Amino acid sequence: MDEELAGLAGDIDRENRVPSSLLDKAAAEGLFDIESVECLLQAVRRASRYSRGFAHVLLVHGSCRLAAGGEGRIYALGITEAGGGTDVRANITTRADELGNGSYRLEGMKYFTSNALYATHFVVLATAGGEPGLFLCERQPQIRVEPLDLSGFRGSGVGKVFFGGAVCERLTEPGVDGVRVALGYINVGRLGYASLALGIADRAIEIIAEAASSKTVFGRRLIEYQGVQWRIASIVARRAALESLVHSALQDGARVDPERAAMAKILGGELALEAAWSAVQILGGRGLAMWGEAERMYRDAKVIDIGEGAKEVLMDYIAGRTVKKVLAGRS
Ligand SMILES: Cc1cc2nc3c(=O)[nH]c(=O)nc-3n(C[C@H](O)[C@H](O)[C@H](O)COP(=O)(O)OP(=O)(O)OC[C@H]3O[C@@H](n4cnc5c(N)ncnc54)[C@H](O)[C@@H]3O)c2cc1C
């Protein structure tokens, strides 16, 4: 799988699509049936070395499947709407009207829905009787997908999804706050973003070490310069710190600590940008080659600061929780 993904990663990025043959192979190898958060994060990190788009497909599907179960499916998660993804509660205009037989009719539009191009099932945040809940919609003609052409995580199947009277079932019980439940999926996603960053760092270290060892500048190999060695050391040290944080965010290997997941996503964004930026820099002009491996990495690294909740929002959240604990004498 690794070799095949490495060979296809450039095409996935250019064409903004994962070929169905690769999705079939991933399914045959059990990558859509992962049963634990820990294994999911490992698979995401491994795939992210080559294709963040494909790694993101695994992550979004996996975070839904761990909660919703089901076999032979590919999930998409529709939370963000046109009004913005940061303030989720204020931006739910998608409506679910009860049909009377346990089914609901959905009307509305979801923005930036990853996996929308590949999904067999959509998990959707919508309001029913004014209360937010999660709904499960099998792909059907009343669901229309319009692909989005983003610069990062290309191939992750992102699109606008229009629900024009789709008949769906309810995932959360009436009275259970759907936004809170969705946050459970998002917390796994945030650790997944940290794992995407670890995959970028893994590959960037290889690119830097190989390129710097094979190039001679002013009579010395590039790798012999302290400036290059310190770059490698900084990425390796931050990678080790992030690995520990991700590990500590997983309680009993399964439950996710939301504060640590937020911290891991923030630090992951910083690590990914540093690692990708360094890979481009050490490759020199070759690093800027459009559609090249380092150039792709750099475009992808920026997404980590935005997807699954913007960096600033997570900083507000961490600071707010910390101040509360300090004032309660529990810091
Ligand atoms: C590649 C990709 C895949 C995605 N996949 C999915 C998906 O599968 N399902 C889904 O539901 N959504 C998905 N999203 C949406 C994602 O969750 C949102 O982009 C994210 O939550 C931020 O929302 P927004 O883009 O609407 O930014 P906005 O809410 O419009 O915010 C814009 C900017 O404002 C700034 N900002 C916001 N709040 C504050 C603050 N308190 N203080 C200071 N600055 C602030 C931040 O810099 C932020 O980036 C995806 C996005 C991307 C890029």
Side-chain angles (χ1 to χ4, degrees):
M1 189 76 184
D2 284 4
E3 227 169 83
E4 189 164 3
L5 188 56
L8 284 171
D11 291 342
I12 292 173
D13 187 75
R14 258 175 203 265
E15 288 161 27
N16 197 18
R17 196 172 189 111
V18 174
S20 53
S21 58
L22 189 65
L23 293 174
D24 291 346
K25 185 156 191 205
E29 292 192 5
L31 288 173
F32 291 121
D33 300 318
I34 291 174
E35 299 287 352
S36 76
V37 180
E38 207 166 3
C39 292
L40 177 64
L41 298 181
Q42 280 166 9
V44 167
R45 176 174 178 174
R46 199 166 163 160
S48 171
R49 292 164 61 90
Y50 306 109
S51 167
R52 273 63 62 188
F54 178 69
H56 199 260
V57 169
L58 298 181
L59 174 63
V60 172
H61 164 78
S63 65
C64 292
R65 186 178 176 277
L66 284 170
E71 299 300 319
R73 298 175 175 182
I74 297 182
Y75 283 111
L77 178 62
I79 296 174
T80 307
E81 296 204 1
T86 292
D87 189 357
V88 170
R89 219 177 268 281
N91 286 299
I92 315 173
T93 62
T94 301
R95 227 184 53 236
D97 294 319
E98 196 164 6
L99 292 172
N101 53 358
S103 306
Y104 289 77
R105 188 187 301 283
L106 257 68
E107 295 283 349
M109 189 270 266
K110 290 289 171 181
Y111 217 150
F112 294 123
T113 303
S114 299
N115 289 7
L117 297 186
Y118 320 120
T120 58
H121 291 75
F122 296 80
V123 175
V124 185
L125 183 67
T127 55
E131 296 296 323
L134 286 180
F135 296 84
L136 180 65
C137 311
E138 199 166 350
R139 191 181 277 277
Q140 53 195 275
Q142 293 85 348
I143 298 176
R144 184 170 66 82
V145 174
E146 204 176 281
L148 286 167
D149 202 14
L150 304 183
S151 64
F153 286 14
R154 292 174 63 76
S156 57
V158 184
K160 292 183 194 173
V161 183
F162 298 85
F163 297 88
V167 178
C168 308
E169 61 186 84
R170 196 169 185 131
L171 268 181
T172 49
E173 294 299 319
V176 173
D177 181 356
V179 174
R180 275 191 177 280
V181 178
L183 274 173
Y185 293 61
I186 289 172
N187 285 325
V188 174
R190 288 178 180 162
L191 279 190
Y193 269 48
S195 303
L196 282 152
L198 288 169
I200 289 178
D202 293 340
R203 186 64 193 130
I205 290 165
E206 289 173 359
I207 292 174
I208 295 166
E210 283 161 14
S213 300
S214 64
K215 189 159 195 175
T216 300
V217 179
F218 297 115
R220 283 161 76 192
R221 283 186 313 142
L222 209 45
I223 197 74
E224 291 167 33
Y225 287 93
Q226 197 174 49
V228 176
Q229 292 170 0
W230 284 8
R231 272 185 199 282
I232 295 174
S234 170
I235 299 167
V236 170
R238 284 164 188 253
R239 180 180 66 171
L242 183 58
E243 275 168 355
S244 299
L245 182 56
V246 169
H247 185 70
S248 75
L250 266 184
Q251 300 151 342
D252 320 324
R255 279 182 306 120
V256 176
D257 176 321
E259 264 178 272
R260 283 175 185 257
M263 292 176 205
K265 195 185 95 87
I266 292 169
L267 296 184
E270 291 171 6
L271 172 66
L273 280 168
E274 181 188 0
W277 194 92
S278 293
V280 171
Q281 187 72 17
I282 296 302
L283 283 170
R286 285 176 298 152
L288 296 171
M290 196 63 206
W291 312 110
E293 192 176 10
E295 184 273 334
R296 287 200 312 265
M297 215 175 245
Y298 195 51
R299 275 189 276 120
D300 290 337
K302 187 60 202 153
V303 180
I304 296 176
D305 275 346
I306 297 173
E308 301 283 10
K311 180 178 184 176
E312 296 90 337
V313 178
L314 302 190
M315 306 243 271
D316 282 355
Y317 167 66
I318 293 165
R321 299 271 299 204
T322 303
V323 171
K324 243 189 205 167
K325 284 183 212 164
V326 168
L327 296 183
R330 294 188 289 116
S331 68

